[in-house]
């Protein structure tokens, strides 16, 4: 499939937008400094693959933030368990998933897998790996090309 371009100039801090690439949803999230801090503060023990060492990912998908730019996250929006669409629950006080320690992230309604705001899966979840990071590049500050 052809690459797709996304204009993120109107994406506000904390917001997510979706573009379609190869028939799959790709999420682009503009993370606030506070969201970035919450990603970096997560205990590695809470995560199955905290440094994103899983194979078949772009080099920039490694590390805690899993992105080319700290403020912009780009993820394939499909659960790595059976491909449901996880819900965007960026706020620590989200109504679901319940729990005092939810730092914001993505929550899959199908079998309750939890991911952080960088798409890293928590330990002991049905989903075996972190959310996929697609190949992408910045054509300018405002334009991302996915694919
Ligand atoms: Fe997401 Fe099963 S499809 S947890």
């Amino acid at each position: 499939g052809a690459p797709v371009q996304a204009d993120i100039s109107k994406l506000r801090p904390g917001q997510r937008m979706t573009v379609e690439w190869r028939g799959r949803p790709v999420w682009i999230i503009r993370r606030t400094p506070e969201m970035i801090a919450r990603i970096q503060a997560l205990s590695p023990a809470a995560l199955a693959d905290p440094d994103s060492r899983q194979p078949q990912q772009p080099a920039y998908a490694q590390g805690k933030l899993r992105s080319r730019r700290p403020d912009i996250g780009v993820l394939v929006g499909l659960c790595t368990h059976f491909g449901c669409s996880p819900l965007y629950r960026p706020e620590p006080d989200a109504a679901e998933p319940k729990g005092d320690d939810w730092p914001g992230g993505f929550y899959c309604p199908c079998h309750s897998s939890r991911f952080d705001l960088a798409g890293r899966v928590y330990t002991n979840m049905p989903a075996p790996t972190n959310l996929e990071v697609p190949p992408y590049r910045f054509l300018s500050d405002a334009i991302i090309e996915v694919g």
Side-chain angles (χ1 to χ4, degrees), residues 3-18:
V4 296
Q5 292 184 7
D7 181 351
I8 61 167
S9 59
K10 295 196 171 62
L11 189 64
R12 294 198 304 274
Q15 276 190 331
R16 173 189 60 171
M17 63 182 286
T18 304

Side-chain angles (χ1 to χ4, degrees), residues 19-70:
V19 296
E20 189 178 307
W21 173 63
R22 293 187 176 176
R24 299 191 297 169
V26 171
W27 296 333
I28 303 172
I29 303 109
R30 192 185 291 278
R31 297 180 294 215
T32 64
E34 198 248 334
M35 290 162 79
I36 293 168
R38 277 190 266 135
I39 293 169
Q40 290 174 328
L42 259 179
S43 165
L47 301 159
D49 182 10
D51 298 315
S52 297
R53 302 247 181 253
Q54 70 196 70
Q56 299 170 328
Q57 290 280 271
Y60 47 83
Q62 293 189 349
K64 290 183 179 179
L65 295 173
R66 309 187 68 227
S67 57
R68 288 187 180 273
R69 256 168 59 177

Side-chain angles (χ1 to χ4, degrees), residues 79 81-84 108 110-113 126-127:
C79 184
H81 186 217
F82 285 130
C84 286
C108 185
C110 288
H111 314 96
S112 305
S113 285

